[in-house]
Short mmCIF file of all heavy atoms in Angstrom, two decimals:
data_model
loop_
_atom_site.label_atom_id
_atom_site.label_comp_id
_atom_site.label_asym_id
_atom_site.label_seq_id
_atom_site.Cartn_x
_atom_site.Cartn_y
_atom_site.Cartn_z
N MET A 350 -4.11 15.77 11.64
CA MET A 350 -3.14 14.83 12.20
C MET A 350 -2.77 13.82 11.12
O MET A 350 -3.62 13.20 10.51
CB MET A 350 -3.77 14.12 13.40
CG MET A 350 -2.97 12.92 13.87
SD MET A 350 -2.01 13.16 15.36
CE MET A 350 -3.23 13.47 16.61
N SER A 351 -1.48 13.67 10.89
CA SER A 351 -1.11 12.70 9.85
C SER A 351 -1.06 11.30 10.43
O SER A 351 -0.79 11.11 11.62
CB SER A 351 0.21 13.10 9.20
OG SER A 351 1.28 12.78 10.02
N THR A 352 -1.36 10.37 9.59
CA THR A 352 -1.53 8.98 9.98
C THR A 352 -0.67 8.08 9.12
O THR A 352 -0.47 8.37 7.95
CB THR A 352 -3.02 8.58 9.76
OG1 THR A 352 -3.83 9.45 10.52
CG2 THR A 352 -3.28 7.15 10.17
N ILE A 353 -0.17 7.02 9.70
CA ILE A 353 0.53 6.01 8.91
C ILE A 353 -0.20 4.68 9.12
O ILE A 353 -0.43 4.26 10.25
CB ILE A 353 2.00 5.84 9.35
CG1 ILE A 353 2.75 7.15 9.17
CG2 ILE A 353 2.67 4.73 8.53
CD1 ILE A 353 4.19 7.10 9.66
N THR A 354 -0.61 4.08 8.01
CA THR A 354 -1.27 2.78 8.06
C THR A 354 -0.31 1.76 7.46
O THR A 354 0.20 1.95 6.37
CB THR A 354 -2.57 2.80 7.22
OG1 THR A 354 -3.38 3.88 7.67
CG2 THR A 354 -3.34 1.49 7.40
N THR A 355 -0.04 0.69 8.21
CA THR A 355 0.87 -0.34 7.72
C THR A 355 0.07 -1.56 7.30
O THR A 355 -0.77 -2.05 8.05
CB THR A 355 1.88 -0.73 8.81
OG1 THR A 355 2.56 0.45 9.22
CG2 THR A 355 2.89 -1.74 8.30
N LEU A 356 0.34 -2.02 6.07
CA LEU A 356 -0.41 -3.14 5.51
C LEU A 356 0.54 -4.24 5.04
O LEU A 356 1.52 -3.96 4.36
CB LEU A 356 -1.20 -2.66 4.28
CG LEU A 356 -2.17 -1.50 4.48
CD1 LEU A 356 -2.51 -0.89 3.12
CD2 LEU A 356 -3.41 -1.97 5.18
N PRO A 357 0.24 -5.50 5.37
CA PRO A 357 1.02 -6.60 4.80
C PRO A 357 0.43 -7.00 3.45
O PRO A 357 -0.77 -7.27 3.35
CB PRO A 357 0.83 -7.72 5.84
CG PRO A 357 -0.49 -7.44 6.48
CD PRO A 357 -0.79 -5.96 6.32
N VAL A 358 1.27 -6.97 2.42
CA VAL A 358 0.78 -7.27 1.07
C VAL A 358 1.56 -8.44 0.48
O VAL A 358 2.80 -8.43 0.49
CB VAL A 358 0.92 -6.02 0.16
CG1 VAL A 358 0.46 -6.34 -1.26
CG2 VAL A 358 0.12 -4.86 0.73
N VAL A 359 0.84 -9.43 -0.02
CA VAL A 359 1.50 -10.59 -0.60
C VAL A 359 1.49 -10.51 -2.12
O VAL A 359 0.64 -9.87 -2.72
CB VAL A 359 0.84 -11.92 -0.15
CG1 VAL A 359 1.08 -12.15 1.33
CG2 VAL A 359 -0.64 -11.94 -0.45
N GLY A 360 2.48 -11.16 -2.74
CA GLY A 360 2.56 -11.26 -4.19
C GLY A 360 3.52 -10.28 -4.82
O GLY A 360 3.75 -10.32 -6.03
N MET A 361 4.10 -9.37 -4.01
CA MET A 361 5.04 -8.40 -4.57
C MET A 361 6.44 -9.01 -4.60
O MET A 361 6.88 -9.59 -3.61
CB MET A 361 5.04 -7.13 -3.71
CG MET A 361 3.68 -6.44 -3.66
SD MET A 361 3.63 -5.10 -2.46
CE MET A 361 4.73 -3.92 -3.24
N THR A 362 7.13 -8.88 -5.74
CA THR A 362 8.43 -9.53 -5.87
C THR A 362 9.56 -8.61 -6.31
O THR A 362 10.73 -8.98 -6.19
CB THR A 362 8.36 -10.69 -6.88
OG1 THR A 362 7.89 -10.16 -8.12
CG2 THR A 362 7.42 -11.79 -6.40
N CYS A 363 9.24 -7.44 -6.85
CA CYS A 363 10.32 -6.61 -7.40
C CYS A 363 9.92 -5.14 -7.43
O CYS A 363 8.83 -4.77 -6.99
CB CYS A 363 10.68 -7.08 -8.81
SG CYS A 363 9.40 -6.69 -10.03
N GLY A 364 10.81 -4.33 -7.96
CA GLY A 364 10.57 -2.90 -8.01
C GLY A 364 9.35 -2.51 -8.84
O GLY A 364 8.71 -1.50 -8.56
N HIS A 365 9.03 -3.33 -9.83
CA HIS A 365 7.84 -3.02 -10.63
C HIS A 365 6.58 -3.18 -9.79
O HIS A 365 5.63 -2.41 -9.91
CB HIS A 365 7.76 -3.95 -11.85
CG HIS A 365 8.83 -3.67 -12.86
ND1 HIS A 365 8.80 -2.60 -13.70
CD2 HIS A 365 9.98 -4.32 -13.13
CE1 HIS A 365 9.89 -2.60 -14.47
NE2 HIS A 365 10.62 -3.64 -14.13
N CYS A 366 6.57 -4.20 -8.94
CA CYS A 366 5.44 -4.43 -8.04
C CYS A 366 5.30 -3.24 -7.10
O CYS A 366 4.20 -2.74 -6.85
CB CYS A 366 5.65 -5.70 -7.22
SG CYS A 366 5.86 -7.18 -8.21
N VAL A 367 6.43 -2.80 -6.55
CA VAL A 367 6.43 -1.66 -5.64
C VAL A 367 5.87 -0.43 -6.34
O VAL A 367 5.03 0.28 -5.79
CB VAL A 367 7.86 -1.38 -5.13
CG1 VAL A 367 7.91 -0.09 -4.33
CG2 VAL A 367 8.36 -2.55 -4.29
N ALA A 368 6.31 -0.20 -7.58
CA ALA A 368 5.85 0.97 -8.33
C ALA A 368 4.35 0.89 -8.59
O ALA A 368 3.64 1.90 -8.48
CB ALA A 368 6.62 1.08 -9.64
N ALA A 369 3.86 -0.31 -8.94
CA ALA A 369 2.44 -0.46 -9.26
C ALA A 369 1.58 -0.19 -8.02
O ALA A 369 0.57 0.53 -8.10
CB ALA A 369 2.18 -1.87 -9.78
N VAL A 370 1.96 -0.76 -6.89
CA VAL A 370 1.20 -0.58 -5.65
C VAL A 370 1.26 0.89 -5.21
O VAL A 370 0.25 1.48 -4.82
CB VAL A 370 1.74 -1.51 -4.54
CG1 VAL A 370 1.19 -1.13 -3.18
CG2 VAL A 370 1.39 -2.96 -4.87
N THR A 371 2.45 1.46 -5.28
CA THR A 371 2.63 2.86 -4.87
C THR A 371 1.75 3.78 -5.70
O THR A 371 1.06 4.65 -5.18
CB THR A 371 4.11 3.26 -5.02
OG1 THR A 371 4.90 2.42 -4.17
CG2 THR A 371 4.33 4.72 -4.63
N GLU A 372 1.74 3.54 -7.01
CA GLU A 372 0.97 4.39 -7.92
C GLU A 372 -0.53 4.33 -7.61
O GLU A 372 -1.20 5.36 -7.55
CB GLU A 372 1.23 3.94 -9.36
CG GLU A 372 0.73 4.89 -10.40
CD GLU A 372 1.14 4.45 -11.80
OE1 GLU A 372 2.30 4.04 -11.98
OE2 GLU A 372 0.30 4.51 -12.70
N GLU A 373 -1.04 3.12 -7.38
CA GLU A 373 -2.47 2.97 -7.08
C GLU A 373 -2.83 3.64 -5.76
O GLU A 373 -3.84 4.34 -5.65
CB GLU A 373 -2.87 1.49 -7.03
CG GLU A 373 -2.96 0.82 -8.37
CD GLU A 373 -4.08 1.38 -9.27
OE1 GLU A 373 -5.05 1.94 -8.74
OE2 GLU A 373 -3.96 1.23 -10.49
N LEU A 374 -2.02 3.43 -4.75
CA LEU A 374 -2.32 3.99 -3.42
C LEU A 374 -2.26 5.51 -3.43
O LEU A 374 -3.05 6.18 -2.78
CB LEU A 374 -1.36 3.42 -2.37
CG LEU A 374 -1.59 1.94 -2.02
CD1 LEU A 374 -0.45 1.43 -1.15
CD2 LEU A 374 -2.93 1.75 -1.30
N GLN A 375 -1.32 6.07 -4.21
CA GLN A 375 -1.18 7.52 -4.24
C GLN A 375 -2.35 8.21 -4.92
O GLN A 375 -2.52 9.42 -4.78
CB GLN A 375 0.15 7.90 -4.92
CG GLN A 375 1.33 7.72 -3.96
CD GLN A 375 2.66 8.10 -4.58
OE1 GLN A 375 2.82 8.03 -5.79
NE2 GLN A 375 3.61 8.48 -3.75
N GLN A 376 -3.16 7.43 -5.63
CA GLN A 376 -4.33 8.03 -6.28
C GLN A 376 -5.50 8.21 -5.30
O GLN A 376 -6.48 8.88 -5.61
CB GLN A 376 -4.78 7.16 -7.46
CG GLN A 376 -3.83 7.25 -8.65
CD GLN A 376 -4.18 6.29 -9.76
OE1 GLN A 376 -5.32 5.87 -9.88
NE2 GLN A 376 -3.21 5.95 -10.59
N LEU A 377 -5.40 7.61 -4.13
CA LEU A 377 -6.48 7.72 -3.15
C LEU A 377 -6.47 9.10 -2.50
O LEU A 377 -5.40 9.66 -2.22
CB LEU A 377 -6.34 6.65 -2.07
CG LEU A 377 -6.46 5.19 -2.52
CD1 LEU A 377 -6.18 4.27 -1.36
CD2 LEU A 377 -7.84 4.93 -3.11
N ALA A 378 -7.66 9.63 -2.26
CA ALA A 378 -7.79 10.94 -1.63
C ALA A 378 -7.14 10.93 -0.25
O ALA A 378 -7.36 10.01 0.54
CB ALA A 378 -9.26 11.31 -1.51
N GLY A 379 -6.33 11.93 0.02
CA GLY A 379 -5.74 12.08 1.34
C GLY A 379 -4.39 11.41 1.52
O GLY A 379 -3.69 11.68 2.50
N VAL A 380 -4.01 10.55 0.58
CA VAL A 380 -2.72 9.86 0.70
C VAL A 380 -1.60 10.82 0.31
O VAL A 380 -1.62 11.44 -0.75
CB VAL A 380 -2.68 8.59 -0.18
CG1 VAL A 380 -1.28 7.99 -0.21
CG2 VAL A 380 -3.69 7.57 0.35
N THR A 381 -0.61 10.95 1.21
CA THR A 381 0.48 11.89 0.97
C THR A 381 1.80 11.19 0.67
O THR A 381 2.75 11.82 0.23
CB THR A 381 0.67 12.81 2.18
OG1 THR A 381 0.84 11.99 3.35
CG2 THR A 381 -0.54 13.70 2.40
N GLY A 382 1.86 9.88 0.94
CA GLY A 382 3.10 9.17 0.65
C GLY A 382 2.94 7.68 0.86
O GLY A 382 2.07 7.24 1.62
N VAL A 383 3.78 6.91 0.17
CA VAL A 383 3.74 5.46 0.29
C VAL A 383 5.18 4.96 0.39
O VAL A 383 6.04 5.40 -0.37
CB VAL A 383 3.06 4.82 -0.94
CG1 VAL A 383 3.07 3.29 -0.84
CG2 VAL A 383 1.63 5.33 -1.11
N ALA A 384 5.44 4.08 1.36
CA ALA A 384 6.76 3.49 1.51
C ALA A 384 6.59 1.98 1.58
O ALA A 384 5.72 1.48 2.28
CB ALA A 384 7.44 4.01 2.77
N VAL A 385 7.43 1.27 0.83
CA VAL A 385 7.30 -0.19 0.78
C VAL A 385 8.60 -0.85 1.20
O VAL A 385 9.68 -0.49 0.72
CB VAL A 385 6.94 -0.67 -0.65
CG1 VAL A 385 6.85 -2.20 -0.69
CG2 VAL A 385 5.62 -0.05 -1.11
N GLU A 386 8.49 -1.80 2.12
CA GLU A 386 9.62 -2.65 2.47
C GLU A 386 9.33 -4.00 1.81
O GLU A 386 8.45 -4.74 2.26
CB GLU A 386 9.70 -2.78 3.99
CG GLU A 386 10.99 -3.39 4.48
CD GLU A 386 11.03 -3.42 6.00
OE1 GLU A 386 10.88 -2.35 6.63
OE2 GLU A 386 11.18 -4.51 6.55
N LEU A 387 10.06 -4.27 0.74
CA LEU A 387 9.78 -5.45 -0.08
C LEU A 387 10.30 -6.73 0.56
O LEU A 387 11.46 -6.80 0.96
CB LEU A 387 10.42 -5.25 -1.46
CG LEU A 387 10.12 -6.28 -2.54
CD1 LEU A 387 8.63 -6.29 -2.87
CD2 LEU A 387 10.95 -5.98 -3.78
N HIS A 388 9.41 -7.72 0.64
CA HIS A 388 9.81 -9.05 1.11
C HIS A 388 9.33 -10.07 0.08
O HIS A 388 8.25 -10.65 0.23
CB HIS A 388 9.18 -9.36 2.48
CG HIS A 388 9.66 -8.48 3.58
ND1 HIS A 388 10.95 -8.51 4.06
CD2 HIS A 388 9.03 -7.51 4.30
CE1 HIS A 388 11.09 -7.61 5.03
NE2 HIS A 388 9.95 -6.98 5.18
N PRO A 389 10.13 -10.30 -0.97
CA PRO A 389 9.72 -11.25 -2.01
C PRO A 389 9.49 -12.63 -1.39
O PRO A 389 10.29 -13.08 -0.58
CB PRO A 389 10.92 -11.27 -2.97
CG PRO A 389 11.66 -10.01 -2.70
CD PRO A 389 11.46 -9.73 -1.24
N GLY A 390 8.40 -13.26 -1.76
CA GLY A 390 8.10 -14.58 -1.23
C GLY A 390 7.35 -14.54 0.09
O GLY A 390 6.91 -15.57 0.59
N GLY A 391 7.21 -13.35 0.65
CA GLY A 391 6.46 -13.21 1.90
C GLY A 391 5.53 -12.02 1.81
O GLY A 391 5.15 -11.61 0.72
N ALA A 392 5.19 -11.47 2.95
CA ALA A 392 4.33 -10.29 2.98
C ALA A 392 5.20 -9.03 3.04
O ALA A 392 5.98 -8.86 3.97
CB ALA A 392 3.39 -10.34 4.18
N SER A 393 5.07 -8.21 2.04
CA SER A 393 5.79 -6.94 2.04
C SER A 393 5.06 -5.96 2.95
O SER A 393 3.85 -6.05 3.12
CB SER A 393 5.86 -6.37 0.62
OG SER A 393 6.63 -7.21 -0.21
N GLU A 394 5.82 -5.04 3.54
CA GLU A 394 5.22 -4.07 4.44
C GLU A 394 5.00 -2.77 3.68
O GLU A 394 5.95 -2.13 3.25
CB GLU A 394 6.16 -3.85 5.64
CG GLU A 394 5.52 -3.13 6.79
CD GLU A 394 6.48 -3.05 7.97
OE1 GLU A 394 6.77 -4.10 8.57
OE2 GLU A 394 6.95 -1.93 8.26
N VAL A 395 3.73 -2.42 3.52
CA VAL A 395 3.38 -1.20 2.79
C VAL A 395 2.88 -0.17 3.80
O VAL A 395 1.90 -0.41 4.51
CB VAL A 395 2.29 -1.48 1.74
CG1 VAL A 395 1.87 -0.19 1.04
CG2 VAL A 395 2.81 -2.49 0.72
N ARG A 396 3.57 0.97 3.87
CA ARG A 396 3.17 2.04 4.79
C ARG A 396 2.56 3.19 4.00
O ARG A 396 3.19 3.73 3.09
CB ARG A 396 4.37 2.53 5.58
CG ARG A 396 4.74 1.61 6.75
CD ARG A 396 5.81 2.22 7.63
NE ARG A 396 7.07 2.37 6.91
CZ ARG A 396 7.95 1.38 6.75
NH1 ARG A 396 7.72 0.19 7.26
NH2 ARG A 396 9.05 1.58 6.08
N VAL A 397 1.34 3.52 4.37
CA VAL A 397 0.61 4.58 3.68
C VAL A 397 0.51 5.79 4.62
O VAL A 397 -0.05 5.68 5.71
CB VAL A 397 -0.81 4.11 3.28
CG1 VAL A 397 -1.55 5.23 2.57
CG2 VAL A 397 -0.72 2.86 2.40
N HIS A 398 1.06 6.89 4.18
CA HIS A 398 0.97 8.13 4.95
C HIS A 398 -0.23 8.91 4.43
O HIS A 398 -0.43 9.04 3.23
CB HIS A 398 2.23 8.98 4.76
CG HIS A 398 3.48 8.31 5.24
ND1 HIS A 398 4.22 8.80 6.29
CD2 HIS A 398 4.10 7.18 4.83
CE1 HIS A 398 5.25 7.99 6.50
NE2 HIS A 398 5.22 7.01 5.63
N SER A 399 -1.03 9.44 5.35
CA SER A 399 -2.20 10.21 4.92
C SER A 399 -2.53 11.27 5.96
O SER A 399 -2.10 11.19 7.11
CB SER A 399 -3.41 9.29 4.71
OG SER A 399 -3.67 8.55 5.89
N GLU A 400 -3.29 12.27 5.51
CA GLU A 400 -3.69 13.35 6.41
C GLU A 400 -4.70 12.84 7.44
O GLU A 400 -4.66 13.22 8.60
CB GLU A 400 -4.30 14.51 5.63
CG GLU A 400 -3.32 15.24 4.73
CD GLU A 400 -2.18 15.88 5.50
OE1 GLU A 400 -2.36 16.16 6.71
OE2 GLU A 400 -1.10 16.10 4.91
N GLU A 401 -5.63 12.02 6.95
CA GLU A 401 -6.66 11.43 7.80
C GLU A 401 -6.59 9.93 7.55
O GLU A 401 -6.13 9.50 6.51
CB GLU A 401 -8.05 11.94 7.39
CG GLU A 401 -8.23 13.44 7.47
CD GLU A 401 -8.25 13.94 8.91
OE1 GLU A 401 -8.58 13.14 9.81
OE2 GLU A 401 -7.93 15.12 9.13
N PRO A 402 -7.10 9.14 8.51
CA PRO A 402 -7.12 7.70 8.26
C PRO A 402 -7.91 7.38 6.98
O PRO A 402 -8.98 7.93 6.76
CB PRO A 402 -7.84 7.13 9.49
CG PRO A 402 -7.61 8.15 10.55
CD PRO A 402 -7.61 9.49 9.84
N VAL A 403 -7.35 6.52 6.13
CA VAL A 403 -8.04 6.10 4.91
C VAL A 403 -8.69 4.74 5.21
O VAL A 403 -8.06 3.88 5.80
CB VAL A 403 -7.03 5.95 3.74
CG1 VAL A 403 -7.71 5.46 2.48
CG2 VAL A 403 -6.32 7.28 3.49
N PRO A 404 -9.97 4.57 4.80
CA PRO A 404 -10.63 3.29 5.08
C PRO A 404 -9.84 2.11 4.51
O PRO A 404 -9.35 2.18 3.38
CB PRO A 404 -11.98 3.42 4.36
CG PRO A 404 -12.19 4.88 4.20
CD PRO A 404 -10.83 5.50 4.10
N VAL A 405 -9.72 1.07 5.30
CA VAL A 405 -8.95 -0.10 4.88
C VAL A 405 -9.52 -0.72 3.60
O VAL A 405 -8.79 -1.22 2.76
CB VAL A 405 -8.89 -1.13 6.03
CG1 VAL A 405 -8.94 -2.55 5.52
CG2 VAL A 405 -7.63 -0.91 6.85
N GLU A 406 -10.86 -0.60 3.43
CA GLU A 406 -11.47 -1.16 2.22
C GLU A 406 -10.93 -0.43 0.98
O GLU A 406 -10.73 -1.04 -0.07
CB GLU A 406 -13.00 -1.03 2.23
CG GLU A 406 -13.69 -1.60 3.47
CD GLU A 406 -13.66 -0.64 4.65
OE1 GLU A 406 -14.26 0.43 4.57
OE2 GLU A 406 -13.00 -0.97 5.66
N ALA A 407 -10.72 0.87 1.10
CA ALA A 407 -10.21 1.66 -0.03
C ALA A 407 -8.77 1.27 -0.33
O ALA A 407 -8.37 1.14 -1.49
CB ALA A 407 -10.30 3.15 0.28
N LEU A 408 -7.99 1.05 0.74
CA LEU A 408 -6.60 0.64 0.55
C LEU A 408 -6.54 -0.75 -0.09
O LEU A 408 -5.78 -0.99 -1.02
CB LEU A 408 -5.87 0.62 1.90
CG LEU A 408 -5.78 1.97 2.61
CD1 LEU A 408 -5.22 1.79 4.01
CD2 LEU A 408 -4.91 2.94 1.82
N ALA A 409 -7.39 -1.65 0.42
CA ALA A 409 -7.42 -3.02 -0.11
C ALA A 409 -7.84 -3.02 -1.58
O ALA A 409 -7.30 -3.77 -2.39
CB ALA A 409 -8.37 -3.89 0.71
N ALA A 410 -8.80 -2.15 -1.93
CA ALA A 410 -9.27 -2.07 -3.31
C ALA A 410 -8.15 -1.58 -4.23
O ALA A 410 -7.99 -2.08 -5.35
CB ALA A 410 -10.48 -1.15 -3.40
N ALA A 411 -7.38 -0.61 -3.77
CA ALA A 411 -6.28 -0.08 -4.57
C ALA A 411 -5.20 -1.13 -4.77
O ALA A 411 -4.64 -1.28 -5.86
CB ALA A 411 -5.69 1.16 -3.90
N ILE A 412 -4.92 -1.89 -3.72
CA ILE A 412 -3.91 -2.95 -3.81
C ILE A 412 -4.39 -4.04 -4.75
O ILE A 412 -3.63 -4.56 -5.58
CB ILE A 412 -3.59 -3.49 -2.40
CG1 ILE A 412 -2.79 -2.42 -1.65
CG2 ILE A 412 -2.84 -4.81 -2.46
CD1 ILE A 412 -2.73 -2.63 -0.16
N ASP A 413 -5.67 -4.37 -4.67
CA ASP A 413 -6.26 -5.36 -5.57
C ASP A 413 -6.18 -4.88 -7.01
O ASP A 413 -5.87 -5.64 -7.92
CB ASP A 413 -7.72 -5.60 -5.16
CG ASP A 413 -8.40 -6.63 -6.04
OD1 ASP A 413 -8.08 -7.82 -5.91
OD2 ASP A 413 -9.22 -6.24 -6.90
N GLU A 414 -6.45 -3.58 -7.19
CA GLU A 414 -6.41 -2.97 -8.53
C GLU A 414 -4.99 -3.10 -9.12
O GLU A 414 -4.83 -3.31 -10.33
CB GLU A 414 -6.80 -1.50 -8.41
CG GLU A 414 -6.96 -0.76 -9.73
CD GLU A 414 -8.17 -1.22 -10.51
OE1 GLU A 414 -9.13 -1.73 -9.90
OE2 GLU A 414 -8.15 -1.08 -11.74
N ALA A 415 -3.99 -3.00 -8.28
CA ALA A 415 -2.61 -3.12 -8.73
C ALA A 415 -2.24 -4.57 -9.03
O ALA A 415 -1.22 -4.85 -9.66
CB ALA A 415 -1.66 -2.54 -7.68
N GLY A 416 -3.07 -5.52 -8.55
CA GLY A 416 -2.83 -6.93 -8.84
C GLY A 416 -2.28 -7.74 -7.67
O GLY A 416 -1.79 -8.85 -7.87
N TYR A 417 -2.39 -7.17 -6.48
CA TYR A 417 -1.86 -7.86 -5.29
C TYR A 417 -2.96 -7.94 -4.23
O TYR A 417 -4.04 -7.41 -4.42
CB TYR A 417 -0.61 -7.13 -4.76
CG TYR A 417 0.37 -6.91 -5.87
CD1 TYR A 417 0.39 -5.70 -6.56
CD2 TYR A 417 1.21 -7.94 -6.28
CE1 TYR A 417 1.24 -5.53 -7.64
CE2 TYR A 417 2.07 -7.78 -7.35
CZ TYR A 417 2.08 -6.56 -8.02
OH TYR A 417 2.91 -6.39 -9.09
N GLU A 418 -2.65 -8.58 -3.10
CA GLU A 418 -3.68 -8.64 -2.07
C GLU A 418 -3.09 -8.54 -0.67
O GLU A 418 -1.91 -8.81 -0.44
CB GLU A 418 -4.52 -9.90 -2.20
CG GLU A 418 -3.73 -11.19 -2.17
CD GLU A 418 -4.64 -12.40 -2.35
OE1 GLU A 418 -5.59 -12.52 -1.58
OE2 GLU A 418 -4.38 -13.21 -3.26
N LEU A 419 -3.96 -8.13 0.25
CA LEU A 419 -3.56 -8.04 1.64
C LEU A 419 -3.36 -9.44 2.18
O LEU A 419 -4.13 -10.34 1.89
CB LEU A 419 -4.65 -7.34 2.47
CG LEU A 419 -4.78 -5.84 2.31
CD1 LEU A 419 -5.93 -5.33 3.17
CD2 LEU A 419 -3.49 -5.15 2.72
N ALA A 420 -2.32 -9.62 2.99
CA ALA A 420 -2.14 -10.89 3.66
C ALA A 420 -3.25 -11.02 4.69
O ALA A 420 -3.64 -10.04 5.31
CB ALA A 420 -0.78 -10.93 4.34
N SER A 421 -3.79 -12.22 4.85
CA SER A 421 -4.88 -12.39 5.80
C SER A 421 -4.32 -12.71 7.19
O SER A 421 -3.17 -13.06 7.34
CB SER A 421 -5.83 -13.49 5.36
OG SER A 421 -5.10 -14.62 4.97
CU1 CU B 1755 7.41 -7.17 -9.56
#
């Protein structure tokens, strides 16, 4: 069953940010696609498509690795 996880991510401002986050998330096992709705100055909406649910800690770690963080 495919799953979509939606995450609010702060600190993203442009296409480079989108590319960095997308690249990190796509390296996670099971992730089949990433879609970002950019909201500069606010929380961008990052949708992660995967075959199975991916642990939120793994998603948060990948986003942190890209240089951004989950909105609390
Ligand atoms: Cu940017």
Side-chain angles (χ1 to χ4, degrees):
M350 168 104 64
S351 77
T352 302
I353 300 176
T354 307
T355 304
L356 304 162
V358 178
V359 292
M361 299 171 69
T362 57
C363 71
H365 291 285
C366 301
V367 172
V370 167
T371 299
E372 192 174 317
E373 285 295 336
L374 289 171
Q375 281 181 334
Q376 288 174 23
L377 296 176
V380 172
T381 54
V383 178
V385 179
E386 192 177 304
L387 187 63
H388 295 292
S393 295
E394 194 176 291
V395 176
R396 281 188 294 278
V397 180
H398 298 245
S399 56
E400 293 298 336
E401 301 290 336
V403 178
V405 144
E406 307 82 64
L408 298 172
I412 288 164
D413 180 73
E414 186 70 24
Y417 309 96
E418 56 182 306
L419 285 178
S421 47

